[in-house]
Every structure is written in structure tokens, then in C-alpha cells.
mmCIF file of all heavy atoms in Angstrom:
data_model
loop_
_atom_site.group_PDB
_atom_site.id
_atom_site.type_symbol
_atom_site.label_atom_id
_atom_site.label_comp_id
_atom_site.label_asym_id
_atom_site.label_seq_id
_atom_site.Cartn_x
_atom_site.Cartn_y
_atom_site.Cartn_z
ATOM 1 N N CYS A 16 44.776 -6.420 -1.572
ATOM 2 C CA CYS A 16 44.476 -7.423 -0.542
ATOM 3 C C CYS A 16 43.550 -8.475 -1.144
ATOM 4 O O CYS A 16 42.528 -8.145 -1.749
ATOM 5 C CB CYS A 16 43.820 -6.757 0.670
ATOM 6 S SG CYS A 16 43.241 -7.918 1.942
ATOM 7 N N GLU A 17 43.903 -9.747 -0.984
ATOM 8 C CA GLU A 17 43.111 -10.823 -1.576
ATOM 9 C C GLU A 17 41.847 -11.124 -0.789
ATOM 10 O O GLU A 17 40.970 -11.853 -1.254
ATOM 11 C CB GLU A 17 43.964 -12.100 -1.673
ATOM 12 C CG GLU A 17 45.145 -11.969 -2.625
ATOM 13 C CD GLU A 17 45.946 -13.254 -2.728
ATOM 14 O OE1 GLU A 17 45.602 -14.210 -2.008
ATOM 15 O OE2 GLU A 17 46.893 -13.289 -3.521
ATOM 16 N N LYS A 18 41.719 -10.573 0.421
ATOM 17 C CA LYS A 18 40.577 -10.907 1.274
ATOM 18 C C LYS A 18 39.437 -9.904 1.175
ATOM 19 O O LYS A 18 38.435 -10.042 1.871
ATOM 20 C CB LYS A 18 41.037 -11.020 2.732
ATOM 21 C CG LYS A 18 41.998 -12.178 2.981
ATOM 22 C CD LYS A 18 42.312 -12.324 4.460
ATOM 23 C CE LYS A 18 43.218 -13.528 4.708
ATOM 24 N NZ LYS A 18 43.513 -13.705 6.142
ATOM 25 N N CYS A 19 39.577 -8.856 0.338
ATOM 26 C CA CYS A 19 38.543 -7.829 0.305
ATOM 27 C C CYS A 19 38.458 -7.205 -1.083
ATOM 28 O O CYS A 19 39.236 -7.525 -1.977
ATOM 29 C CB CYS A 19 38.825 -6.759 1.354
ATOM 30 S SG CYS A 19 40.320 -5.789 1.016
ATOM 31 N N VAL A 20 37.517 -6.286 -1.218
ATOM 32 C CA VAL A 20 37.354 -5.509 -2.446
ATOM 33 C C VAL A 20 37.551 -4.045 -2.093
ATOM 34 O O VAL A 20 36.795 -3.475 -1.297
ATOM 35 C CB VAL A 20 35.947 -5.713 -3.054
ATOM 36 C CG1 VAL A 20 35.780 -4.839 -4.292
ATOM 37 C CG2 VAL A 20 35.714 -7.179 -3.392
ATOM 38 N N ASP A 21 38.595 -3.436 -2.639
ATOM 39 C CA ASP A 21 38.879 -2.015 -2.434
ATOM 40 C C ASP A 21 39.057 -1.643 -0.965
ATOM 41 O O ASP A 21 38.751 -0.518 -0.548
ATOM 42 C CB ASP A 21 37.766 -1.145 -3.043
ATOM 43 C CG ASP A 21 37.655 -1.326 -4.552
ATOM 44 O OD1 ASP A 21 38.660 -1.706 -5.165
ATOM 45 O OD2 ASP A 21 36.563 -1.096 -5.098
ATOM 46 N N GLY A 22 39.513 -2.593 -0.157
ATOM 47 C CA GLY A 22 39.775 -2.282 1.242
ATOM 48 C C GLY A 22 38.593 -2.432 2.175
ATOM 49 O O GLY A 22 38.688 -2.113 3.362
ATOM 50 N N TYR A 23 37.459 -2.911 1.658
ATOM 51 C CA TYR A 23 36.257 -3.088 2.471
ATOM 52 C C TYR A 23 35.777 -4.534 2.398
ATOM 53 O O TYR A 23 35.919 -5.204 1.376
ATOM 54 C CB TYR A 23 35.132 -2.172 1.998
ATOM 55 C CG TYR A 23 35.432 -0.696 2.144
ATOM 56 C CD1 TYR A 23 35.967 0.027 1.075
ATOM 57 C CD2 TYR A 23 35.182 -0.024 3.330
ATOM 58 C CE1 TYR A 23 36.248 1.382 1.196
ATOM 59 C CE2 TYR A 23 35.454 1.338 3.466
ATOM 60 C CZ TYR A 23 35.992 2.030 2.395
ATOM 61 O OH TYR A 23 36.269 3.364 2.517
ATOM 62 N N LYS A 24 35.189 -4.993 3.490
ATOM 63 C CA LYS A 24 34.633 -6.345 3.511
ATOM 64 C C LYS A 24 33.424 -6.366 4.442
ATOM 65 O O LYS A 24 33.554 -6.218 5.651
ATOM 66 C CB LYS A 24 35.675 -7.356 4.000
ATOM 67 C CG LYS A 24 35.208 -8.808 3.891
ATOM 68 C CD LYS A 24 36.317 -9.772 4.246
ATOM 69 C CE LYS A 24 35.859 -11.211 4.059
ATOM 70 N NZ LYS A 24 36.926 -12.172 4.412
ATOM 71 N N GLY A 25 32.240 -6.511 3.856
ATOM 72 C CA GLY A 25 31.015 -6.516 4.648
ATOM 73 C C GLY A 25 30.503 -5.108 4.911
ATOM 74 O O GLY A 25 31.124 -4.109 4.523
ATOM 75 N N ARG A 26 29.342 -5.039 5.554
ATOM 76 C CA ARG A 26 28.743 -3.747 5.897
ATOM 77 C C ARG A 26 28.194 -3.792 7.318
ATOM 78 O O ARG A 26 27.897 -4.856 7.852
ATOM 79 C CB ARG A 26 27.616 -3.385 4.916
ATOM 80 C CG ARG A 26 28.121 -3.035 3.532
ATOM 81 C CD ARG A 26 27.031 -2.485 2.641
ATOM 82 N NE ARG A 26 26.098 -3.514 2.199
ATOM 83 C CZ ARG A 26 25.046 -3.268 1.425
ATOM 84 N NH1 ARG A 26 24.785 -2.025 1.030
ATOM 85 N NH2 ARG A 26 24.248 -4.242 1.052
ATOM 86 N N VAL A 27 28.068 -2.616 7.902
ATOM 87 C CA VAL A 27 27.486 -2.492 9.239
ATOM 88 C C VAL A 27 26.426 -1.404 9.166
ATOM 89 O O VAL A 27 26.542 -0.452 8.381
ATOM 90 C CB VAL A 27 28.567 -2.158 10.297
ATOM 91 C CG1 VAL A 27 29.145 -0.765 10.074
ATOM 92 C CG2 VAL A 27 28.002 -2.279 11.703
ATOM 93 N N ALA A 28 25.381 -1.555 9.988
ATOM 94 C CA ALA A 28 24.303 -0.568 9.986
ATOM 95 C C ALA A 28 24.632 0.594 10.916
ATOM 96 O O ALA A 28 25.250 0.412 11.966
ATOM 97 C CB ALA A 28 22.991 -1.225 10.418
ATOM 98 N N ILE A 29 24.241 1.782 10.485
ATOM 99 C CA ILE A 29 24.216 2.918 11.404
ATOM 100 C C ILE A 29 22.745 3.270 11.589
ATOM 101 O O ILE A 29 21.976 3.290 10.618
ATOM 102 C CB ILE A 29 25.039 4.123 10.889
ATOM 103 C CG1 ILE A 29 24.597 4.543 9.491
ATOM 104 C CG2 ILE A 29 26.513 3.793 10.890
ATOM 105 C CD1 ILE A 29 25.313 5.781 8.999
ATOM 106 N N GLN A 30 22.358 3.510 12.837
ATOM 107 C CA GLN A 30 20.933 3.597 13.145
ATOM 108 C C GLN A 30 20.581 4.813 13.984
ATOM 109 O O GLN A 30 21.425 5.365 14.703
ATOM 110 C CB GLN A 30 20.483 2.332 13.911
ATOM 111 C CG GLN A 30 20.598 1.059 13.114
ATOM 112 C CD GLN A 30 21.551 0.062 13.769
ATOM 113 O OE1 GLN A 30 22.425 0.438 14.531
ATOM 114 N NE2 GLN A 30 21.371 -1.207 13.463
ATOM 115 N N GLU A 31 19.320 5.177 13.870
ATOM 116 C CA GLU A 31 18.702 6.187 14.712
ATOM 117 C C GLU A 31 17.408 5.562 15.218
ATOM 118 O O GLU A 31 16.561 5.160 14.407
ATOM 119 C CB GLU A 31 18.417 7.450 13.890
ATOM 120 C CG GLU A 31 17.613 8.507 14.617
ATOM 121 C CD GLU A 31 17.228 9.659 13.704
ATOM 122 O OE1 GLU A 31 17.392 9.528 12.477
ATOM 123 O OE2 GLU A 31 16.749 10.670 14.223
ATOM 124 N N VAL A 32 17.262 5.421 16.511
ATOM 125 C CA VAL A 32 16.063 4.803 17.088
ATOM 126 C C VAL A 32 15.315 5.863 17.885
ATOM 127 O O VAL A 32 15.824 6.364 18.893
ATOM 128 C CB VAL A 32 16.415 3.604 17.996
ATOM 129 C CG1 VAL A 32 15.135 2.957 18.529
ATOM 130 C CG2 VAL A 32 17.259 2.578 17.236
ATOM 131 N N VAL A 33 14.123 6.214 17.409
ATOM 132 C CA VAL A 33 13.299 7.227 18.069
ATOM 133 C C VAL A 33 12.104 6.536 18.718
ATOM 134 O O VAL A 33 11.336 5.837 18.050
ATOM 135 C CB VAL A 33 12.818 8.299 17.067
ATOM 136 C CG1 VAL A 33 11.766 9.204 17.708
ATOM 137 C CG2 VAL A 33 13.992 9.123 16.573
ATOM 138 N N GLU A 34 11.970 6.732 20.023
ATOM 139 C CA GLU A 34 10.838 6.193 20.772
ATOM 140 C C GLU A 34 9.823 7.313 20.971
ATOM 141 O O GLU A 34 10.178 8.420 21.387
ATOM 142 C CB GLU A 34 11.330 5.644 22.116
ATOM 143 C CG GLU A 34 10.287 4.884 22.887
ATOM 144 C CD GLU A 34 10.896 4.184 24.115
ATOM 145 O OE1 GLU A 34 12.064 4.480 24.452
ATOM 146 O OE2 GLU A 34 10.195 3.355 24.717
ATOM 147 N N ILE A 35 8.569 7.042 20.664
ATOM 148 C CA ILE A 35 7.531 8.064 20.791
ATOM 149 C C ILE A 35 7.126 8.194 22.257
ATOM 150 O O ILE A 35 6.446 7.329 22.806
ATOM 151 C CB ILE A 35 6.306 7.745 19.919
ATOM 152 C CG1 ILE A 35 6.739 7.481 18.465
ATOM 153 C CG2 ILE A 35 5.288 8.884 19.988
ATOM 154 C CD1 ILE A 35 7.436 8.630 17.795
ATOM 155 N N THR A 36 7.565 9.266 22.866
ATOM 156 C CA THR A 36 7.231 9.543 24.261
ATOM 157 C C THR A 36 5.876 10.268 24.320
ATOM 158 O O THR A 36 5.384 10.771 23.296
ATOM 159 C CB THR A 36 8.305 10.438 24.887
ATOM 160 O OG1 THR A 36 8.296 11.704 24.195
ATOM 161 C CG2 THR A 36 9.684 9.805 24.768
ATOM 162 N N PRO A 37 5.254 10.362 25.512
ATOM 163 C CA PRO A 37 3.990 11.109 25.619
ATOM 164 C C PRO A 37 4.111 12.545 25.111
ATOM 165 O O PRO A 37 3.195 13.064 24.460
ATOM 166 C CB PRO A 37 3.688 11.056 27.118
ATOM 167 C CG PRO A 37 4.331 9.784 27.586
ATOM 168 C CD PRO A 37 5.578 9.661 26.768
ATOM 169 N N GLN A 38 5.262 13.201 25.385
ATOM 170 C CA GLN A 38 5.450 14.574 24.923
ATOM 171 C C GLN A 38 5.522 14.644 23.399
ATOM 172 O O GLN A 38 4.919 15.521 22.765
ATOM 173 C CB GLN A 38 6.736 15.144 25.530
ATOM 174 C CG GLN A 38 7.105 16.541 25.051
ATOM 175 C CD GLN A 38 6.077 17.590 25.468
ATOM 176 O OE1 GLN A 38 5.457 17.451 26.516
ATOM 177 N NE2 GLN A 38 5.901 18.619 24.643
ATOM 178 N N LEU A 39 6.254 13.676 22.783
ATOM 179 C CA LEU A 39 6.360 13.662 21.329
ATOM 180 C C LEU A 39 5.009 13.314 20.701
ATOM 181 O O LEU A 39 4.639 13.856 19.656
ATOM 182 C CB LEU A 39 7.434 12.659 20.886
ATOM 183 C CG LEU A 39 7.798 12.628 19.399
ATOM 184 C CD1 LEU A 39 8.157 14.020 18.897
ATOM 185 C CD2 LEU A 39 8.952 11.656 19.153
ATOM 186 N N GLU A 40 4.265 12.418 21.341
ATOM 187 C CA GLU A 40 2.914 12.077 20.861
ATOM 188 C C GLU A 40 2.034 13.330 20.815
ATOM 189 O O GLU A 40 1.294 13.554 19.855
ATOM 190 C CB GLU A 40 2.295 11.024 21.778
ATOM 191 C CG GLU A 40 0.872 10.631 21.400
ATOM 192 C CD GLU A 40 0.262 9.646 22.375
ATOM 193 O OE1 GLU A 40 1.017 8.934 23.078
ATOM 194 O OE2 GLU A 40 -0.990 9.587 22.440
ATOM 195 N N GLU A 41 2.130 14.156 21.864
ATOM 196 C CA GLU A 41 1.342 15.385 21.921
ATOM 197 C C GLU A 41 1.771 16.351 20.820
ATOM 198 O O GLU A 41 0.932 16.999 20.181
ATOM 199 C CB GLU A 41 1.526 16.028 23.298
ATOM 200 C CG GLU A 41 0.638 17.235 23.539
ATOM 201 C CD GLU A 41 0.811 17.786 24.943
ATOM 202 O OE1 GLU A 41 1.137 17.011 25.867
ATOM 203 O OE2 GLU A 41 0.638 19.014 25.104
ATOM 204 N N MET A 42 3.089 16.436 20.561
ATOM 205 C CA MET A 42 3.584 17.312 19.506
ATOM 206 C C MET A 42 3.072 16.870 18.135
ATOM 207 O O MET A 42 2.681 17.705 17.312
ATOM 208 C CB MET A 42 5.123 17.314 19.510
ATOM 209 C CG MET A 42 5.742 17.962 20.730
ATOM 210 S SD MET A 42 7.565 17.821 20.740
ATOM 211 C CE MET A 42 7.991 18.861 19.338
ATOM 212 N N ILE A 43 3.053 15.564 17.896
ATOM 213 C CA ILE A 43 2.566 15.044 16.611
ATOM 214 C C ILE A 43 1.087 15.362 16.447
ATOM 215 O O ILE A 43 0.636 15.808 15.383
ATOM 216 C CB ILE A 43 2.812 13.522 16.520
ATOM 217 C CG1 ILE A 43 4.312 13.212 16.536
ATOM 218 C CG2 ILE A 43 2.170 12.954 15.247
ATOM 219 C CD1 ILE A 43 4.630 11.738 16.743
ATOM 220 N N ALA A 44 0.323 15.159 17.508
ATOM 221 C CA ALA A 44 -1.125 15.410 17.460
ATOM 222 C C ALA A 44 -1.422 16.884 17.191
ATOM 223 O O ALA A 44 -2.405 17.225 16.521
ATOM 224 C CB ALA A 44 -1.771 14.964 18.767
ATOM 225 N N GLU A 45 -0.544 17.757 17.702
ATOM 226 C CA GLU A 45 -0.763 19.196 17.534
ATOM 227 C C GLU A 45 -0.169 19.740 16.240
ATOM 228 O O GLU A 45 -0.237 20.944 15.978
ATOM 229 C CB GLU A 45 -0.173 19.943 18.734
ATOM 230 C CG GLU A 45 -0.913 19.661 20.044
ATOM 231 C CD GLU A 45 -0.244 20.328 21.240
ATOM 232 O OE1 GLU A 45 0.885 20.877 21.058
ATOM 233 O OE2 GLU A 45 -0.821 20.274 22.332
#
């Protein structure tokens, strides 16, 4: 394919978003 390299074109992020809740804050402190 003349429009890409090895069948790929560009990249996309995969993410994990962790929000620190009051319970998680307590776990970290302990």
C-alpha cells in the first residue's frame, strides 16, 4: 500500500486514568 508503512499509519494512545478517591488516599497513607 502506497499510503502506509507495513499496513499502519499513525498511532493512537491507550490510557488508564486513575483518580485518587478519599478511600484510595487513605490506602496510600496507610
Side-chain angles (χ1 to χ4, degrees):
C16 174
E17 295 182 357
K18 294 186 177 181
C19 67
V20 177
D21 298 335
Y23 296 94
K24 187 174 183 181
R26 290 189 287 179
V27 67
I29 54 176
Q30 296 119 336
E31 173 187 12
V32 182
V33 170
E34 188 171 11
I35 307 300
T36 64
Q38 176 64 31
L39 187 53
E40 178 183 337
E41 186 177 331
M42 292 176 67
I43 296 168
E45 293 176 352

